[in-house]
Each structure stands twice: as structure tokens, then as C-alpha cells.
Amino acid sequence: WQPLWGQWVLGVGSVPSGQPWQPSGRAVGAQGARPSLLPSALQCWEVRKHNSSEWCHFIRSNPDCQLDGGFLDYLNGVFCVFPPQLLPLAVTLYALWLLYLFIILGVTAEKFFCPNLSAISTNLKLSHNVAVFSLTSPLHGVTFLAFGNGAPDVFSAVVAFSDPRTAGLAVGAIFGAGVFVTTVVAGGIALVKPFTAASRPFLRDVIFYMVAVFLTFVVLYLGRIQLGEALGYLGLYVFYVLTVVLCTWIHRRQRGDGLAPPGPWEPEMPTDVEEPEPSGTNSGDYGEEYRPLLPSQETSLRILTTALSPLDYRKWRRKPWYWRLFKAFKVPVELVLLLTVPVVDPDKDDLNWRRPLNCLHILTSPLLCVLTLKSGAYGLYQIQGIFPVWGLVTLVASALALIIFITTSNEEPPKYHCVFAFLGFLASAMWINAAAMELVNILRTLGIIFQLSNTVLGLTLLAWGNSIGGEGSAAPQCPPGTPWGPPTILKVSFSPSTDTFSDLTMARQGYPRMAFSACFGGIIFNILVGVGLGCLLQMTGSQLLVKLEPDSPLVWLLAGALGLSLVFSFVTVPAQCFQLGKAYGVCLITYYLVFLCVALLTEFRVIHFT
């Protein structure tokens, strides 16, 4: 019975020992679904149906309650560490930790991941018109910074797809973020500043996105994704890249070398935009009025303490209280990231070279990588059962750091300084992956506590967190002097301003077309690479198939709502001659509110779908 039952019952691998049998179950066989005489195992969300005194035993003895990966066992904490009467306190602490994880994702991607990707593209001599994929620009540069801007979404999708029990989180987040961005954000931009949309980029992006949504709907309907289909997602994104590059090349050939006046598909170029305040992770960056008149040589200890300070005290005094409060929450994260992730800045004369701190990174970054890979399983592995891997990494990295410290100076970066950009890229990617793993696990825990499906958690908490984002730069993110870029007086920074507040701020500053283009162009990367790469990494040589079985009727509601919103924009925007006003924005936001109400009513079984 044990092998037969584990092979036929849907979604369960084996019979948990000591668990009661249920009278009926649902099985899937070679001929499809049919009634089963075999019982189904108890699922983890059923823990709340038991007496509170049995919660801990249920969690520890049920295989469905074991979290794969991660550093903290959230289920064991809430049901075993906290007594039942303190369950509200545990939920409150988990909710605060969830918000902090979103802050970690945003800070890591904005201040460490994207700057290092920008430095890598510069060192590889790539044209910024190809390398930059700033989601606030309709000129979709489509190589390195595409990954930087979508890193939190893609890593969350990859982690969620790694476990069939959390795949619904990925689907809900990808679809939910799509609905949110294409309705609330796009509608908010139209409300803030009516404008004329960029026609050709808009039509191109909406068509590609509708194709991607349709492919995902087909995959969910079939209930599985095979190797060819996963590669098809990535291939479609490559085709999108080639289309963007070709359209840009044709457009430039038509324009010629000079800067022609903006056409009907180009954003307006305000000439009175003030230079944005430079931002960075180093408080020692002086403005011109604070730069010392005479050069002075700082000691290594002084350089280290200055580089590790995440606060700029002059900026701190000028900011309002709520900014200070949010900054106080971010300081511990930024301090740990400064200790473990090097940042190379090609825009600075010294490339952000800080000899004592960069030598320390030679030790801390490899340690971070081995201790976060597979939740520390590789780092704690004993070589020959005697010496741990982290100890070997410490010895080798310490020797290398000492050599670099002796052979370099504080004033001049070494010729191989670009290697630190690759090290910073890898270290920041490991931070994002670790935070995404904890994020998925805590969302699954909250779903079990409140008996919510993964899909509704994905379309609400995960989608809102990734879409609203952290502190993004509101400055235009295009190369200066390009038709989509700002005037040359602006300083360009490579920060992922994909969040709602940055897009709305950009619209108020006179760039509504670029912000609107981000709503439809940026999420193409998330859905194609998130689903394609997330499923591809789960395939092995013997199992070239990943099951994607919807855990809730909300999946179909999500897909339908997203498709309908895209069709609505695809029809109404050209019908208005691409002139978008407040009526369009009100319609989109009203549409999202109605969708959200229907989704929540469906989740709580007020509305039933067969």
C-alpha cells in the first residue's frame, strides 16, 4: 500500500506514520481523475482544526509542515515556541519581520546589486544603450540591469517554484504584480499628470506581455511545464530583446546622428529639472561645497570607519522625521551589507576604492556565499570529517586579503579593481536569494496560520511588497543625451526605480511617458524570466517536468483579470489617440478595486467557482 498510495494520491509522496487515515481522497491516475479508496494525508494548514495542545506535535510529525531551506523554522516557532494564547503576538512579530525582509530586498537591489551590474557592464565595454535596463525608461536596455531591477521578483519566483507547496506564491505574485502595476500604477500616473503615451513602445510591450500571459495560462491549464516550454519562455524574452534593439536601431537611423526634436512617441524633455541630490552608501562623499581645499592623507582606520557609516549627517538634519524613522530601520541592514558586499562605482574618480574595507570584503564576501548557499549546508560541511569548509575559506581569503593590503595603497585603486564588481554582484545575489527564501517561508507560515491559499498571499502581500518597493530614485534613469534620456546636466544613477512611488514621483517631475512605459515593459522580464528560469532550475536529468497545479480558483481569476486589463488598455489607449487623462486612470484603479474585492470574496468562499 505504501508505494502505491505515494504514487497515486495527488500532491502527497508517502503516508506519514502515526497520522490518522481520512475516509476519502482524490487520486490522479493514468486515465485522469477518479475516486480513490485511499485516504489523503493531513495537510499542514489543518493544524488549526486540532486542539491547541496538539499543535506542536502535529507540526513536528507531519512531513507537509517541514520547510525546505531557510534559516528559521517559522512553523515550529509559532506553534511550539509561543504558547497558544500568545499567537497574536507571534503573528505581529512575523508581520514586522516580513516588512523588514522587503526592506532588505529593496536596499540590496538598489544600493548594491544594480551598481555592481552597472560597473560590470562598463568594464565589459558594453554600450549603455544596450546594457541599461532601467524600468523607468522606455528604451529597454536588455542585458545586465534587467536582472538587477527584477532581482527581488525573479529570486522570489525561483525560490517559490523550488517547492510545489509554494509554487502558488510565485504564480500569485507574478500575476498579482502584473494586475497591480498595469492598473493602479498606470492609472495613478494618468491621474497625476495627463500625457500622450509613447505609441510604438506601448503597443510592442502590451503585445509581448499578452503573449506571455497567454502562455502562462496554457501552462497552468495543462498543469505542468516541460523543458521545451521553459526554454520557450526564455526564448520569447530573447526575441523581445532583439525586437527592442532592432526598433531602437531603426529609430536612430531615422533620426540621424543629431538630436532631432521629440517625436510623437518621445517623452518631453523638461529643461528646468534640478540636479538630483547624489545618493550613495558612503557618507564620506563630499559635495563641492564640502570638499577640502587642501588634499589630506587619511589613515586606513579613518577610511574604514568612514566607509562603514551608512548615515550622512548633513542629509540627516535636512530630512523630515518620517524619513529619519525609515532610515533608522534601514541602518542595520546597510551596515551589514557594507561589511559584506563591495561596490564599484565607475562614476567616481577612485571607483569607490576603499582599501581597508575592500580587503575586508575579500574575507567577508566568500564567507557570506558559502554560509548562505543551501542555507549554510555547504559552509558547515566537514572536509574529511575534520575541517569545515568555512574554515578553509577563511584561511585562503585572509591570506589573499593580506597580500592585497600590502601591495596596494589607499589613494590609487589597483588595476584588477573591477574584480570587486563581480564579487559584489555575487555577494548581493546571495543576500537577495537568502531574503527571498525567508520571505517565501514566512508567507507560507502566515497562510497556514490564517488558512489562506498561497495564491492570495502572492497576489496581495508578495505582489504589493515587490511592486511598491523601497526607496527608489525619482531621477530619470536613462543615459543623458539619448532621445529617452534626461538633459545632459542630470546625473544618472542606476537604481531600480520600479516601485510605485518612484513612478508617480517621476510623473510629477515631467516624465509620465517613461513611468507609464515601465508599467508594461518592466514586468515582461519578471514573468518570462521568473517562470522560465524558476521552472528550468527545478528540472533534473531524470525529471524534465515541473508540475504547476493551481491550489485555488483564484489562479484563473488572476489570469483572467490580468488579460482583461491588458486588453482594455490595448483597445482604449489607441482609441484615445494615446492621450491619457484622468478618466483612464479612474477606470483602471476602479477595475483593480473591483478585482481585489472579487478575489478576496472568492478566497473566503463567499463567491464560489465550479
Side-chain angles (χ1 to χ4, degrees), residues 381-393 395:
Y381 177 75
Q382 302 277 338
I383 302 175
Q384 299 283 331
I386 302 175
F387 200 70
V389 172
W390 67 266
L392 178 62
V393 172
L395 291 178

Side-chain angles (χ1 to χ4, degrees), residues 153 169-187 206 209-210 212-213 458-460 462-468 498 500 516 518-528 557-567 569 584 588 591-592 595:
D153 307 86
L169 278 174
V171 176
I174 290 174
F175 278 170
V179 177
F180 181 83
V181 171
T182 57
T183 55
V184 175
V185 181
V206 170
Y209 195 40
M210 286 194 295
V213 172
L459 76 92
T460 52
L462 191 54
W464 293 340
N466 287 334
S467 300
I468 294 176
T498 59
T500 304
F516 184 74
C519 300
F520 294 93
I523 47 183
I524 294 176
F525 175 84
N526 294 343
I527 187 171
L528 291 179
L557 179 63
L558 261 175
L562 179 55
L564 187 59
S565 70
L566 291 175
V567 171
S569 294
Y584 175 75
L588 288 181
Y591 176 85
Y592 182 79
F595 153 74

Side-chain angles (χ1 to χ4, degrees), residues 83-115:
Q85 56 269 25
L86 292 182
L87 182 62
L89 174 62
V91 171
T92 303
L93 294 177
Y94 280 17
L96 295 176
W97 176 235
L98 178 67
L99 294 177
Y100 207 68
L101 286 172
F102 280 118
I103 294 177
I104 294 174
L105 284 173
V107 171
T108 307
E110 176 188 352
K111 295 191 175 183
F112 296 87
F113 195 81
C114 275

Side-chain angles (χ1 to χ4, degrees), residues 363-377:
L363 172 62
T364 57
S365 294
L367 275 178
L368 167 72
C369 294
V370 299
L371 291 177
T372 55
L373 188 63
K374 291 292 183 181
S375 302

Side-chain angles (χ1 to χ4, degrees), residues 274-293:
E274 297 181 358
E275 182 175 356
E277 181 180 356
S279 61
T281 58
N282 186 6
S283 63
D285 298 338
Y286 296 97
E288 290 296 330
E289 65 274 21
Y290 297 104
R291 192 178 299 279
L293 295 177

Side-chain angles (χ1 to χ4, degrees), residues 21-369:
W21 291 71
Q22 291 186 349
S24 63
R26 182 165 162 242
V28 175
Q31 304 299 324
R34 61 191 177 97
S36 173
L37 300 177
L38 301 173
S40 61
L42 293 176
Q43 295 183 349
C44 195
W45 61 268
E46 299 181 61
V47 61
R48 296 293 302 277
K49 295 182 178 180
H50 291 71
N51 191 284
S52 59
S53 60
E54 302 175 357
W55 286 354
C56 185
H57 174 72
F58 183 93
I59 292 295
R60 292 178 174 176
S61 60
N62 193 341
D64 189 51
C65 297
Q66 306 307 312
L67 300 176
D68 296 331
F71 295 92
L72 300 176
D73 191 346
Y74 298 102
L75 284 172
N76 186 76
V78 72
F79 289 111
C80 297
V81 176
F82 286 90
Q85 56 269 25
L86 292 182
L87 182 62
L89 174 62
V91 171
T92 303
L93 294 177
Y94 280 17
L96 295 176
W97 176 235
L98 178 67
L99 294 177
Y100 207 68
L101 286 172
F102 280 118
I103 294 177
I104 294 174
L105 284 173
V107 171
T108 307
E110 176 188 352
K111 295 191 175 183
F112 296 87
F113 195 81
C114 275
N116 281 312
L117 284 174
S118 175
I120 291 174
S121 67
T122 301
N123 287 310
L124 293 179
K125 309 298 183 184
L126 293 178
S127 169
H128 279 269
N129 294 327
V130 178
V132 177
F133 188 84
S134 175
L135 294 184
T136 56
S137 166
L139 181 61
H140 301 287
V142 280
T143 53
F144 286 106
L145 289 186
F147 188 37
N149 290 326
D153 307 86
V154 172
F155 274 96
S156 299
V158 170
V159 171
F161 278 126
S162 64
D163 189 343
R165 297 171 299 180
T166 57
L169 278 174
V171 176
I174 290 174
F175 278 170
V179 177
F180 181 83
V181 171
T182 57
T183 55
V184 175
V185 181
I189 293 170
L191 285 175
V192 168
K193 189 175 183 64
F195 64 101
T196 302
S199 57
R200 287 189 279 189
F202 168 78
L203 294 175
R204 176 196 64 209
D205 294 342
V206 170
I207 290 174
F208 269 96
Y209 195 40
M210 286 194 295
V211 172
V213 172
F214 177 75
L215 290 179
T216 308
F217 179 85
V218 172
V219 165
L220 290 172
Y221 179 78
L222 296 176
R224 86 290 181 274
I225 180 170
Q226 297 178 339
L227 177 62
E229 295 162 342
L231 293 176
Y233 272 88
L234 301 179
L236 181 59
Y237 185 72
V238 172
F239 180 61
Y240 171 73
V241 169
L242 297 177
T243 303
V244 171
V245 173
L246 179 62
C247 291
T248 304
W249 180 77
I250 294 175
H251 172 62
R252 288 187 171 175
R253 287 292 299 270
Q254 293 175 347
R255 284 178 59 246
D257 294 332
L259 287 179
W265 56 86
E266 297 179 5
E268 62 275 12
M269 294 298 164
T271 57
D272 56 348
V273 181
E274 297 181 358
E275 182 175 356
E277 181 180 356
S279 61
T281 58
N282 186 6
S283 63
D285 298 338
Y286 296 97
E288 290 296 330
E289 65 274 21
Y290 297 104
R291 192 178 299 279
L293 295 177
L294 297 176
S296 60
Q297 298 228 346
E298 293 183 307
T299 63
S300 296
L301 181 60
R302 171 75 176 175
I303 294 174
L304 180 63
T305 54
T306 303
L308 285 177
S309 176
L311 286 176
D312 186 336
Y313 296 102
R314 296 183 303 274
K315 187 177 180 180
W316 175 272
R317 290 194 299 266
R318 296 195 303 265
K319 293 295 183 178
W321 66 269
Y322 53 85
W323 184 94
R324 298 183 186 183
L325 180 62
F326 184 62
K327 184 67 175 180
F329 280 106
K330 294 200 303 180
V331 162
V333 178
E334 292 180 351
L335 180 60
V336 174
L337 288 170
L338 285 171
L339 277 169
T340 55
V341 183
V343 177
V344 178
D345 190 351
D347 296 330
K348 294 183 179 179
D349 294 335
D350 60 356
L351 303 177
N352 200 37
W353 168 250
R354 304 289 184 267
R355 184 179 69 147
L357 180 58
N358 289 140
C359 291
L360 182 62
H361 287 149
I362 296 295
L363 172 62
T364 57
S365 294
L367 275 178
L368 167 72
C369 294

